[in-house]
Amino acid sequence: MLKLSSQKPTKIKSELIALPVCENHLLFTDPTVVQIIQEAEKLKEFSGKKDKELLFYHFENLQTQRILLIGLGKYEDINPETLRQFAGKAVKTALKKKLSCADIVVPENQHKNLSTADTIESLLEGAGLANHVYLAYKKDQSKKPLKTIRLLTSASVAKKHHKIVDRVASACRANHLAREWINMPSNDKPPLKFADMISELARKADLKITLLKEKELIDKKFGALLAVAAGSIHRPCVLILEYSPPAAEKCIALVGKGVTFDAGGISLKPAAGMGDMKSDMSGAATVAATLLAAAETAPKTRLIGVLPLVENLPSGSACRPGDIVRSYGGKTIEIANTDAEGRLILADAMEYAVDTFAPDIMIDLATLTGACVVALGEKIAAVFSPDDALRDAIVEAGRHTHERCWPMPLPEDYRKLIKSDIADMRNVGKNRWAGAITAAIFLKSFVGETRWAHIDIAGPAYGKSDSDYISSGASGFGVRLLLNLLERI
Ligand code: BES
Ligand code: ZN
Ligand code: ZN
């Protein structure tokens, strides 16, 4: 649990107190705290340089078992991300030591580029996000998340900013939830079971739930989605979640790619790394978690989450390269490659969302293309939109939450790459170039006149390397981004 506390670091009983230290500036005036920092600097092994750490086990007259000093680097370089990383490191150290509580000292001196609110928010985020361990399949449960994380600050700051705590805690919970779902192996989350897991929480959160099962998908002519689902014994579905506050002025539809496993279908993927494709439902997990958080934080905008859920496997009943299918809205698509399945299920889901809800804005999130990972790597998502204002708002939200989104072009003249000789379009480009862009242009065919943006999260959704406040595996990328975006549009 995250808390703001006005207890003094020099008085508090603690398992671990983390203290941020700059190499060229004192962040504290409390004489005891200053003395600790000076003692550390005497050791010559610690100077406050970025990411350097020093742990003390004993300090005279203090009640704490441990003091952890962590370098922030140069004072003028501190930004919200520096503080998230600092708080994340503190929590990860406490987790490694199997502690149950940690205390983080908030810098006393006002930083010239950072408001107190931003400082508190960033520290809470770094600490909250770091406090997650994926233990669902481990017998040894000893490396549990910390029970309590306190930010130690003055009584006036604690009083003034207590509302930030609830908002950040809610966003962190949603981020953790998305990570739990994404990390879960595919044998435990086939489409209908995944829909049930989400629905159970959505029901408690008072969201409206609609589940379209296979029969309804056939009746409603979700031809592209059904083709992707044809190879698996697990039946597909589309889950729709609605958050409708009274007197909402805007309606935003969030569509999330939910491929519970992507083997590629008949266009089978190579074996190496295929297991990571359990994460191909990250878009759906992110959208579901965002709606659940919204139900807590109560934004004024109406939100519709549309989650097409399928498994993409090869089999005797799978769709074939060369097959032509008809989308919900009646467009014919030549499936040139069965591994480009995400855009097929999104095509139906987006046409359905426009048709059913006529949203003011539609945003889709998808682990859509390997090409996007080649272009931007594991940490940065691509954002595509014909609407510059919407695209800029997404980039700006990402700058704020450090879920970085880079703007990409949607050149109409590239559309010829997905031209089919016998159908309205093909699902992949004719050559390998611009794979992330041709995928986005394909999606654009299914949004009509709706203001729309596409976020390709194939890189950042799931990763091999730990960062300071997110461990390897699922990152929950996008949950805080969308929550932040709601405050901007
Ligand atoms: N789910 C993959 C994209 C992906 C790749 C996500 C790496 C995360 C990490 C998607 O369905 C896919 O297979 N895309 C193909 C498209 C190609 C056939 C045009 C790809 O990117 O190789
Ligand atoms: Zn694929
Ligand atoms: Zn996929």
Side-chain angles (χ1 to χ4, degrees), residues 350-383:
M350 296 202 303
E351 284 185 328
Y352 174 78
V354 170
D355 193 30
T356 314
F357 301 103
D360 300 295
I361 292 174
M362 180 157 66
I363 300 170
D364 76 84
L365 274 90
T367 46
L368 204 63
T369 65
C372 188
V373 195
V374 174
L376 298 175
E378 275 201 324
K379 300 288 174 193
I380 304 176
V383 52

Side-chain angles (χ1 to χ4, degrees), residues 359-418:
D360 300 295
I361 292 174
M362 180 157 66
I363 300 170
D364 76 84
L365 274 90
T367 46
L368 204 63
T369 65
C372 188
V373 195
V374 174
L376 298 175
E378 275 201 324
K379 300 288 174 193
I380 304 176
V383 52
F384 300 83
S385 179
D387 184 316
D388 290 354
L390 177 57
R391 188 194 61 195
D392 293 349
I394 293 170
V395 171
E396 198 47 44
R399 223 190 298 262
H400 198 87
T401 65
H402 202 70
E403 293 168 293
R404 288 165 290 179
C405 294
W406 196 256
M408 298 278 272
L410 273 174
E412 262 309 311
D413 57 318
Y414 280 27
R415 188 179 286 281
K416 63 174 173 291
L417 292 169
I418 53 165

Side-chain angles (χ1 to χ4, degrees), residues 257 262 264 269 277 280 312 338-342 368:
K257 172 176 171 182
D262 180 14
K269 285 184 182 297
M277 283 300 125
D280 212 20
N312 186 25
T338 65
D339 196 12
E341 83 299 337
L368 204 63

